[in-house]
Amino acid sequence: MEQQDQFKKEGRLTLVLALATLIAAFGSSFQYGYNVAAVNSPAEFMQQFYNDTYYHRTGEYMDAFPLTLLWSLTVSMFPFGGFIGSLLVGPLVNKFGRKGALLFNNIFSIVPAILMGCSKIAKSFELIIVSRLLVGICAGLSSNVVPMYLGELAPKNLRGALGVVPQLFITVGILVAQIFGLRNLLANEEGWPILLGLTGVPAALQLLLLPLFPESPRYLLIQKKDEEAAKNALKRLRGWDTVDAEVEEIRQEDEAEKAAGFVSVLKLFRMRSLRWQLLSIIALMAGQQLSGVNAIYYYADQIYRSAGVDQSQVQYVTVGTGAVNVVMTFCAVFVVELLGRRLLLLLGFSVCFLACCVLTLALSLQDTISWMPYISIVCVIAYVIGHALGPSPIPALLITEIFLQSSRPSAFMVGGSVHWLSNFVVGLIFPFIQEGLGSYSFIVFAVICLLTTIYTFMIVPETKGKTFIEINRIFIKMNKVSDVHHEKEELKNLPPVRSEQ
């Protein structure tokens, strides 16, 4: 107990820890957000480039359907790459380490940045499509490796706060892409290749600066068996020399993990004692993406135009939406411990459901009532607020909380795969839903928001202020397995329940 209190007192945000956090998040998470939104503003110029390139090769222009399909492919290659990237996380972090994996990952950013920057000169839209796949791999890796790296660098009392920093940088990346995507900056006929190519700048900075910072002490001690390097890393991160107690704590975690054994993805699906945890992660990750959040970002300009916003004003409304997203994600950092995870999920998905319903009504009535376009914009902003409060940040946090150490890596892999595949599906089919259903497109997303709200209300427990053991005991009852069930090997090595005040 005294040791734990000592860590809580001493675990402070040192300059080394703060800079490592900023460089890791800016070099990686920022790019995820930037590439989500970068193709939004210059969409019409890029589609014109696709058509002109096709005409240059064949002497005729593309029909509407092949052009829409090519554009959907361009947008959805990013999340498909993200899915591939999430499958590479395990091998890369074990081979190169957490910091090493982030440095290696910059290949998947710098190479496509150069290719996208040169695509217009090379008269090749294929370069853009391949590059979108590569920056997707970069995002898929970073969305898992950055939280892992920061979580292992941070002292226990700062782990939660630093764990939300990557999500904050994703929203900042979206906002920066929207600002650079203004017509009088880079979203024009000459500027769009530069807009796409700028994604290489954070990667280059990370490549230069991250080697100056420590590797994860946990990786150095457990996987590299280099106690001296682990101690030196901890001394730099903590700002003091007495790190023996923390080294011993890491060693004890390692012993407990070895005793528990590793739970593979296949074993995860077979274990009855983890059934509701797994179903909850799949439902929340699918709900997070299929609720339409990326349809809002990928196609925001089109939504505002169909809402009747003046062409010259659309870009400023989009930037405003991005700014709201950053502010609300920043707020989520502070309210998650106050209101709890479950309430934020219920609140967030409910707001998104109502926003989708009202948006559908507003879009279908915009030609008959003059002030309806303004209602549409309010709905989009309300949707962004709702999503930033709960559905965006909470599901990944819950993976950490409802799975124990031995099953957590596989749970992240399942959650990450569902996240990126759902993202891919939305990016690919939304243009066709929009064409087919018109103003009723968002009814599809409203239904998903409603179903996820009902699932959360019926199944997902509150995890605020509970230990991992207490959370697991809730799920033991739901899964109808004995507390000493043979599959719950991972519970054996955990300390007794202690209520957290």
Side-chain angles (χ1 to χ4, degrees):
M1 265 312 278
E2 282 172 16
Q3 263 184 14
Q4 218 165 25
D5 291 340
Q6 183 193 4
F7 281 145
K8 278 182 180 168
K9 281 177 204 157
E10 291 184 330
R12 61 186 194 273
L13 190 61
T14 59
L15 185 63
V16 172
L17 181 57
L19 289 174
T21 302
L22 290 175
I23 290 160
F26 176 65
S28 297
S29 306
F30 174 88
Q31 291 189 68
Y32 174 0
Y34 186 86
N35 285 300
V36 163
V39 295
N40 181 7
S41 298
E44 60 186 285
F45 299 106
M46 290 174 70
Q47 287 177 52
Q48 187 58 50
F49 165 69
Y50 284 23
N51 224 340
D52 291 345
T53 305
Y54 187 80
Y55 180 80
H56 180 73
R57 292 175 189 174
T58 64
E60 53 188 54
Y61 287 109
M62 267 188 269
D63 292 333
F65 180 80
L67 185 59
T68 304
L69 187 64
L70 261 184
W71 184 246
S72 292
L73 199 62
T74 304
V75 171
S76 55
M77 270 297 115
F78 178 71
F80 183 65
F83 170 66
I84 296 169
S86 64
L87 299 180
L88 295 174
V89 170
L92 286 180
V93 293
N94 290 330
K95 185 172 174 60
F96 298 119
R98 280 67 168 142
K99 184 177 86 168
L102 288 176
L103 290 170
F104 177 81
N105 194 25
N106 289 316
I107 296 169
F108 297 115
S109 177
I110 292 169
V111 171
I114 294 165
L115 293 179
M116 287 191 288
C118 299
S119 58
K120 193 175 181 189
I121 300 164
K123 292 187 169 60
S124 170
F125 54 75
E126 292 87 354
L127 283 182
I128 296 171
I129 295 169
V130 170
S131 297
R132 289 282 294 170
L133 179 71
L134 293 175
V135 290
I137 293 172
C138 174
L141 273 163
S142 68
S143 61
N144 289 290
V145 180
V146 176
M148 194 186 300
Y149 178 56
L150 298 185
E152 292 180 10
L153 291 190
K156 285 183 174 178
N157 56 309
L158 293 177
R159 214 169 270 172
L162 295 189
V164 182
V165 171
Q167 180 65 33
L168 186 61
F169 269 83
I170 289 169
T171 62
V172 172
I174 291 170
L175 179 60
V176 170
Q178 289 168 338
I179 292 169
F180 285 168
L182 294 171
R183 292 287 181 270
N184 52 358
L185 288 178
L186 293 175
N188 48 55
E189 204 168 330
E190 299 305 315
W192 66 260
I194 301 166
L195 177 67
L196 298 184
L198 281 174
T199 187
V201 174
L205 282 170
Q206 189 183 73
L207 208 53
L208 288 171
L209 299 174
L210 195 60
L212 304 174
F213 293 90
E215 175 57 273
S216 154
R218 205 169 185 282
Y219 171 77
L220 292 170
L221 185 61
I222 294 173
Q223 271 147 304
K224 301 298 280 185
K225 310 292 182 198
D226 190 342
E227 188 170 323
E228 198 55 40
K231 280 184 177 177
N232 289 336
L234 280 170
K235 285 173 187 175
R236 285 188 66 199
L237 289 163
R238 301 293 176 260
W240 64 77
D241 290 334
T242 52
V243 294
D244 290 345
E246 200 168 351
V247 169
E248 185 54 37
E249 191 186 335
I250 293 171
R251 197 181 280 115
Q252 284 171 5
E253 281 179 35
D254 179 35
E255 291 305 317
E257 210 173 324
K258 277 180 193 158
F262 176 70
V263 178
S264 67
V265 172
L266 282 175
K267 192 175 176 186
L268 195 64
F269 276 95
R270 287 202 299 264
M271 286 173 74
R272 187 179 161 191
S273 55
L274 294 174
R275 183 177 298 162
W276 281 112
Q277 291 96 309
L278 191 62
L279 283 172
S280 297
I281 288 308
I282 291 169
L284 290 173
M285 279 296 189
Q288 179 198 64
Q289 293 302 310
L290 299 177
S291 59
V293 63
N294 284 314
I296 297 268
Y297 290 125
Y298 287 142
Y299 303 103
D301 286 10
Q302 289 97 311
I303 289 166
Y304 291 135
R305 275 200 296 274
S306 63
V309 178
D310 185 73
Q311 176 66 39
S312 61
Q313 300 304 310
V314 162
Q315 52 187 341
Y316 300 108
V317 181
T318 304
V319 170
T321 310
V324 168
N325 191 22
V326 172
V327 171
M328 294 315 297
T329 306
F330 191 71
C331 291
V333 177
F334 299 99
V335 297
V336 67
E337 291 300 340
L338 190 68
L339 299 178
R341 287 72 158 138
R342 188 170 183 268
L343 182 59
L344 285 183
L345 281 172
L346 289 170
L347 187 68
F349 276 116
S350 301
V351 169
C352 292
F353 166 69
L354 290 171
C356 285
C357 291
V358 180
L359 181 62
T360 304
L361 192 67
L363 290 175
S364 57
L365 293 176
Q366 68 182 20
D367 295 331
T368 51
I369 304 170
S370 60
W371 42 266
M372 271 300 161
Y374 302 106
I375 299 293
S376 300
I377 294 166
V378 168
C379 286
V380 171
I381 291 169
Y383 180 97
V384 168
I385 289 171
H387 217 280
L389 274 177
S392 281
I394 303 297
L397 173 63
L398 280 177
I399 297 179
T400 306
E401 294 188 323
I402 69 176
F403 288 93
L404 293 174
Q405 191 70 34
S406 57
S407 53
R408 201 175 290 143
S410 294
F412 262 106
M413 200 165 151
V414 172
S417 300
V418 172
H419 169 101
W420 287 105
L421 283 175
S422 304
N423 190 324
F424 173 71
V425 168
V426 173
L428 192 62
I429 67 170
F430 182 69
F432 298 103
I433 292 175
Q434 208 177 21
E435 246 171 55
L437 297 178
S439 59
Y440 297 99
S441 305
F442 285 89
I443 284 290
V444 177
F445 300 128
V447 170
I448 290 163
C449 289
L450 180 62
L451 290 174
T452 315
T453 307
I454 293 167
Y455 181 90
T456 304
F457 182 75
M458 302 284 287
I459 304 294
V460 179
E462 180 52 72
T463 58
K464 183 186 79 162
K466 292 185 172 70
T467 63
F468 290 152
I469 294 289
E470 288 167 336
I471 295 163
N472 267 268
R473 294 231 163 104
I474 296 167
F475 278 103
I476 281 168
K477 286 177 186 165
M478 288 167 61
N479 290 317
K480 294 184 171 60
V481 290
S482 159
D483 203 350
V484 291
H485 195 275
H486 72 279
E487 286 174 345
K488 292 304 288 179
E489 290 293 319
E490 54 183 3
L491 279 176
K492 280 184 184 175
N493 297 282
L494 287 154
V497 177
R498 178 176 56 82
S499 63
E500 292 185 352
Q501 297 303 322

